[in-house]
Amino acid sequence: MECVGVRFAHGPKIYDYRFSNQAPPLGSWVVVKTARGLELAKVRTEPHLGHAVGEIVRIATPADLEQHSKLKNRAEEVHWWLKARLRREGVRAKVLGCEFTLDGNHISVQYSAEERIDLRRWVNELNKLAGARVEFVALGPRDQTAYLGTLGACGMESCCSKWLQDFAQVSIKMARDQQLPLSPEKISGPCGRLLCCLQYEHEQYQELLAELPRKNSKACSLQGTCGKVAKLNPLAGTVELLTEEGSTVTVHKSELRWD
């Protein structure tokens, strides 16, 4: 099925939507039909074959864009009202954002909380304030970072808010294989979880490590210097041997032998 990829206001994820007749231009705003109702999205890819999750209703008109702007202002009012109410009642939750559907009949409230909480006690008040059906959506630490956007340790916008489509599994072993310090401050992202970028080069590190002896194993240089492998340098292709005399010798893998 021919479709185009569209992106919504928050987060980098691109969803495929089918279109009728002519494809909407790249970079144009379109009105799409979702499970919540009509929503505004931006076309981010050229037409391609894919599995569409919905349908593009039309290219957004000036009236649609104006309606979206008005609803955005209304959503801000709901956001600050709920934020103030949570603070007043001592509820430990963070309101991340509120979003109306284009018809104004549905509002989604994104929030995060360290403990499980029930916000439904304010549904009736919010219904009257927003004039719409209210949906609460809890976001975890990684989804929260993707939703709000932030800077990563590299100084660039975080991958999850810029382009990352899915969260891959990341483990502490990836940091060990890359010889990184295991301090949480060094290998954690703004979300407090392990850096997503640990996975990017892990496969290459595994290939390089396969050409080296294991740490703490015994190895010898072709010159006859033997010792315990104290440190691996996979990018340089070297290891540091700790000899029985207590000295450290750096040896290239081409000059090493081990079992």
Side-chain angles (χ1 to χ4, degrees), residues 14 22 35-36 43 60 71 88 106 113-114 140 143 162 175 177 182 191 245 253:
I14 294 176
Q22 190 175 359
R36 292 185 294 211
V43 178
L71 290 171
R88 189 177 75 186
H106 182 285
E114 294 182 3
D143 289 315
K162 180 71 173 178
D177 288 347
L182 300 184
C191 60
E245 292 76 21
K253 63 183 179 182

Side-chain angles (χ1 to χ4, degrees), residues 218-234:
K218 290 189 176 180
C220 296
S221 70
L222 297 181
Q223 287 74 32
T225 302
C226 297
K228 184 174 72 172
V229 177
K231 186 176 181 180
L232 302 173
N233 299 290

Side-chain angles (χ1 to χ4, degrees), residues 8-168:
F8 294 95
H10 293 281
K13 192 155 186 177
I14 294 176
Y15 301 87
D16 284 343
Y17 276 80
R18 62 181 176 271
F19 57 88
S20 302
N21 304 321
Q22 190 175 359
L26 186 67
S28 62
W29 289 98
V30 292
V31 177
V32 300
K33 188 175 183 180
T34 70
R36 292 185 294 211
L38 298 181
E39 298 190 63
L40 203 64
K42 197 169 191 177
V43 178
R44 299 305 301 265
T45 73
E46 299 285 355
H48 59 275
L49 295 178
H51 298 285
V53 298
E55 180 182 2
I56 294 176
V57 177
R58 61 181 179 270
I59 295 178
T61 64
D64 289 326
L65 298 176
E66 184 180 357
Q67 170 76 344
H68 177 73
S69 180
K70 290 179 180 179
L71 290 171
K72 190 174 180 179
N73 291 333
R74 279 178 57 192
E76 278 294 307
E77 295 176 7
V78 175
H79 182 164
W80 288 106
W81 181 90
L82 183 56
K83 188 174 181 178
R85 180 57 62 89
L86 293 176
R87 185 186 296 113
R88 189 177 75 186
E89 300 196 15
V91 178
R92 300 188 65 178
K94 183 189 297 183
V95 183
L96 305 175
C98 301
E99 300 170 15
F100 276 100
T101 53
L102 197 58
D103 55 16
N105 293 330
H106 182 285
I107 184 170
S108 175
V109 178
Q110 320 287 332
Y111 75 95
S112 66
E114 294 182 3
E115 301 176 355
R116 186 178 180 86
I117 60 172
D118 187 2
L119 301 179
R120 288 177 297 178
R121 70 181 96 167
W122 294 293
V123 165
N124 290 335
E125 289 181 87
L126 282 171
N127 282 337
K128 294 177 182 178
L129 178 67
R133 183 166 61 89
V134 179
E135 175 191 17
F136 290 106
V137 181
L139 299 183
R142 282 185 168 175
D143 289 315
Q144 175 182 338
T145 303
Y147 183 85
L148 295 176
T150 185
L151 293 180
C154 59
M156 305 289 287
E157 185 177 350
S158 59
C159 298
C160 62
S161 60
K162 180 71 173 178
W163 61 269
L164 200 62
Q165 296 298 296
D166 292 294
F167 292 113

